[in-house]
Structures are given as structure tokens and as C-alpha cells.
Amino acid sequence: MMLPAAHINLDYAASTPLRAEALEAMRSYDASPIAGANPNSLHTLGREAARALEEARRSVASSLGCGVRPQEVIFTSGGTEANVLALFGIAEAVRAKDPARTRIVVSAIEHDSILDNIPALHAAGFAVDIVKPSARGVIEPEMLNGLLDDHVALVSIMFANNETGALQPIEELARAAHTAGAYFHTDAIQGYLHVPLDVNALGVDALSLAGHKVGAPVSCGALYLRRGTPFAPRSRGGGQEAGRRPGTQDVRSVIALAAVASALAPGVEGEWLRLRTLSDALYARLLTSPRIHATLGSPLPAGRLGGIVSIYVDGFESEELILQLDQHGFCVSAGSACSSASAQASHVLTAMGLAGDAANGSLRISFDDRVDPEALDAFTKALLTIVEG
């Protein structure tokens, strides 16, 4: 087979190209006097860099809802660091205040940056309980309620699943955690700037986000930490970020993240609905094949991201499909890029109750508002050709 002249990236849930707003923000920074200046220095350039950093903090705070304070935003190196900071920082601080609170509850569909830390949490003296999703990929409040008591320090459940796109009932889940006296963190890395989001309406105590999921650099992320939420720093060494996350801040990347947040936040709801229309059409065409099934079942739930289409194909393994699609010029994945090297079936799909064969034949097609609808049409034809022989 002749290789295509260019490949079409339909793996945006893994990472996205830089947006024009991010590129322009970084070009402006590079051409400015503060390029390379340490925002913690006392001299003029340091103070100007600090002002730019704080302006960026205000922009990111504004993207999280009305009334969010800039001081509630901690800049990190990415989403994984933000998740780990929340997981350990909140749990350890809560336990320090109330030694009886030694339990943490997470869901079975969390990203590896949460689940892979369970052994370390055990080593730190915490018990960790895992709440399972429904067959539709949703953590139901009643399932969480069954695990809550006055020993729980923290509940961490993601806002939108990175493999299926299923949105979780975060407001209800956070309310249940608070009723039990626990704090609530949500990994919103996949949903941030892709679906309307307001931390005050959600009622969360902490929220993680990552720049590279929205067209900002890979090297930046943030943790929203509601004022008054107990938090113990994971490390020390400089006092940056109000002592909560040491290390010289990457002003260049943070400015780019802020530029993207300012550009996208006002139009999030409209783009979400437009992408839902595109994904609905893609699902409808793919499901004309009796061998292709939606992992979220039928009819598709309304509570899902617009830019993730999650399917499985009878008689095929994910690796085979990915490689054949790659030959046709389309880049997709089987699930989280962070665990794509593993030969095991998706932990998300198996937690939802999909049999091993189905989970092993899964595909995730993901895109954002920059997608060309004609590319989705071409992808559909390619996959149907592969599946139907």
C-alpha cells in the first residue's frame, strides 16, 4: 500500500497542536525584555515578569468561573503534577488536622496519574477504596455514598473520562463527599475548555488542568485549590506559588496557557455543542457496521464530551486497527496515551464491564474545534473499509 502524503491527527485527547494564540503569546514573550527573567527576582525585569505571571494567573482563574481568586490557582509542570499535588497534599493535610481521616476514595476509571499512586498512598498510611462505574461509564452518587464515612479524607473523581468522554455528575458527587466531611478533587484535564465548567457550581475543593490538552504547551498545567482547603506541600525549596509548589515558574508557557484560556473560555458552550453534532454524525456512520459498537452503549448519553468518539470492533484488536488506520493516514489511539504501550485491555472499559475481547478491540477518535469535517468523513470510509474487508 502506498503511504499517504500526510497524516491526519485524530488523537487530540492525548495531546494537541499549539494554538495560534499560544504561539503569538510565546513570540511576544521571547521578543520582550522579560524573556528569561526570573519572576522571583527583585530587580525591574523580575518584577515585570512577576506581573506577567500574575496577569496570567488572573486569566486562568477567570476561565474556571466567576469569582475564582487568582491566589487559588497553582501553576504546575502539567496535569500529572497537579493530580499528584492534590491527591497527597490534601489527604495529608486533612489527616494532620483529623488523624481519624485515613481513607481516600477514587474511581476505577481515573487516569494513571491517580491510580498509579495508590501504592504510594498505602505506603503513606492511607487506605484507598475504589468506586466502580456503571456500564455507561458513569460514577453514580449512590455507589460513592456506600463508601463514605467519617474516616474519608479525600474523594478524587475525574470530570470527564479521557477514554470514553463520559461526563461525571461532579456536583452530586462533591456534595456527597462534603456531607461526609471529606474534601473533593476532580481531574478536569480532559474537560477543561472543552465543556462548560464552573468550580463554584460544581462545588469542588480542587481541580486539575493541563495546557497541552487545549493547544497550550506541554510544560504547563495548574491546580485550582479553593481557599481554605487543607494542603500540605509535597516538596520545599524556594517558596514559589505561595509555598505550595517550589521551583522557578515557566512564565513563557504560563502566558501561553493564559492566552488560550482567554480565547476559548467565552465560546466553550457553543464549541461543545458543535463538536457533539460532529461526533453524533461520526458515531451514526460508524455504527452502520454491525461489527462496530459504542463503548457507552446505545442510545448515547447526553453527558459526554463532543470531541471523543469511543468504539470497539468485533474481531479486531486495537493495535491491528491503529496500524492499519495509520497506513491510511489517520492517527488514533486505543485509550490513554500514558498507558498505550501496555498490552492489557483498557482498565476503563473493563471497569465498565466490557468483556476482554471488546476492550481489546477499542478505538478512541478525538479532535477539537479545529477539526475538518471532511477529515472525519475520510476516516469513516477508511475504518469501514478495514472492518468490512
Side-chain angles (χ1 to χ4, degrees), residues 40 57 71 73-75 81 85 89 225 231-247 249:
N40 306 288
R57 199 184 308 277
Q71 297 85 351
V73 173
I74 305 169
F75 287 123
E81 185 189 7
L85 280 179
L225 189 70
F231 182 80
R234 293 290 296 152
S235 57
R236 291 171 175 80
Q240 294 90 347
E241 297 300 293
R244 299 169 298 187
R245 191 269 185 184
Q249 298 94 332

Side-chain angles (χ1 to χ4, degrees), residues 4 15 24 39 131 133 142 150 172 174 177 183 192 204 208-209 231 245 270 287 310 318 340 352 370 373 380:
S15 197
E24 179 55 34
V131 57
E142 54 266 30
D150 56 8
E172 296 173 74
Y183 288 83
Y192 176 64
V204 300
S208 302
L209 62 93
F231 182 80
R245 191 269 185 184
L287 298 182
S310 176
S318 302
S340 61
M352 290 166 53
R370 294 170 285 181
T380 302

Side-chain angles (χ1 to χ4, degrees), residues 23-308:
L23 289 168
E24 179 55 34
M26 290 188 290
R27 277 194 292 265
S28 295
Y29 170 85
D30 290 338
S32 74
I34 67 169
N38 191 319
N40 306 288
S41 297
L42 292 177
H43 51 63
T44 296
L45 293 182
R47 294 196 301 273
E48 290 181 2
R51 280 193 288 272
L53 181 69
E54 294 313 307
E55 180 59 36
R57 199 184 308 277
R58 283 191 288 274
S59 295
V60 173
S62 295
S63 72
L64 294 171
C66 182
V68 177
R69 300 172 178 86
Q71 297 85 351
E72 294 175 307
V73 173
I74 305 169
F75 287 123
T76 67
S77 63
T80 291
E81 185 189 7
N83 276 345
V84 174
L85 280 179
L87 199 60
F88 287 90
I90 298 174
E92 290 180 349
V94 172
R95 183 175 60 179
K97 292 178 63 177
D98 183 352
R101 290 194 178 271
T102 58
R103 293 181 56 227
I104 297 170
V105 179
V106 302
S107 84
I109 59 172
E110 296 301 306
H111 187 268
D112 290 343
S113 57
I114 294 290
L115 296 179
D116 283 357
N117 279 286
I118 290 177
L121 289 168
H122 287 158
F126 290 99
V128 181
D129 291 287
I130 298 177
V131 57
K132 293 186 177 181
S134 69
R136 308 281 274 176
V138 173
I139 305 300
E140 302 290 355
E142 54 266 30
M143 295 297 291
L144 175 61
N145 275 321
L147 295 174
L148 294 174
D149 61 23
D150 56 8
H151 295 292
V152 177
L154 176 69
V155 176
S156 181
I157 296 175
M158 60 174 26
F159 178 83
N161 187 259
N162 55 300
E163 294 190 27
T164 67
L167 298 176
Q168 305 303 318
I170 296 300
E171 185 176 350
E172 296 173 74
L173 297 170
R175 188 182 305 118
H178 292 155
T179 299
Y183 288 83
F184 191 93
H185 162 256
T186 188
D187 167 359
I189 291 167
Q190 205 66 67
Y192 176 64
L193 296 180
H194 293 306
V195 68
L197 182 158
D198 185 317
V199 294
N200 293 311
L202 292 174
V204 300
D205 303 297
L207 177 147
S208 302
L209 62 93
H212 73 114
K213 303 292 188 178
V214 295
V218 173
S219 54
C220 62
L223 174 65
Y224 160 77
L225 189 70
R226 185 182 297 277
R227 188 174 66 169
T229 300
F231 182 80
R234 293 290 296 152
S235 57
R236 291 171 175 80
Q240 294 90 347
E241 297 300 293
R244 299 169 298 187
R245 191 269 185 184
T248 302
Q249 298 94 332
D250 182 356
V251 178
R252 184 176 189 266
S253 294
V254 165
I255 288 174
L257 171 60
V260 170
S262 296
L264 296 187
V268 165
E269 184 167 6
E271 288 301 335
W272 176 46
L273 296 174
R274 188 178 79 87
L275 290 179
R276 278 282 304 277
T277 299
L278 289 174
S279 65
D280 285 348
L282 180 55
Y283 269 119
R285 292 192 61 192
L286 292 176
L287 298 182
T288 59
S289 170
R291 302 182 72 174
I292 299 177
H293 312 274
T295 61
L296 293 177
S298 180
L300 288 163
R304 68 181 198 281
L305 293 176
I308 291 183

Side-chain angles (χ1 to χ4, degrees), residues 1 3-4 7 316-330 332 382-383 385-387 389:
M1 175 186 293
L3 290 176
H7 280 71
F316 284 85
E317 291 191 354
S318 302
E319 182 178 2
E320 177 186 1
L321 289 168
I322 291 168
L323 292 176
Q324 287 200 48
L325 285 165
D326 190 63
Q327 289 183 317
H328 282 79
F330 299 97
V332 299
L383 181 56
T385 296
I386 293 168
V387 170

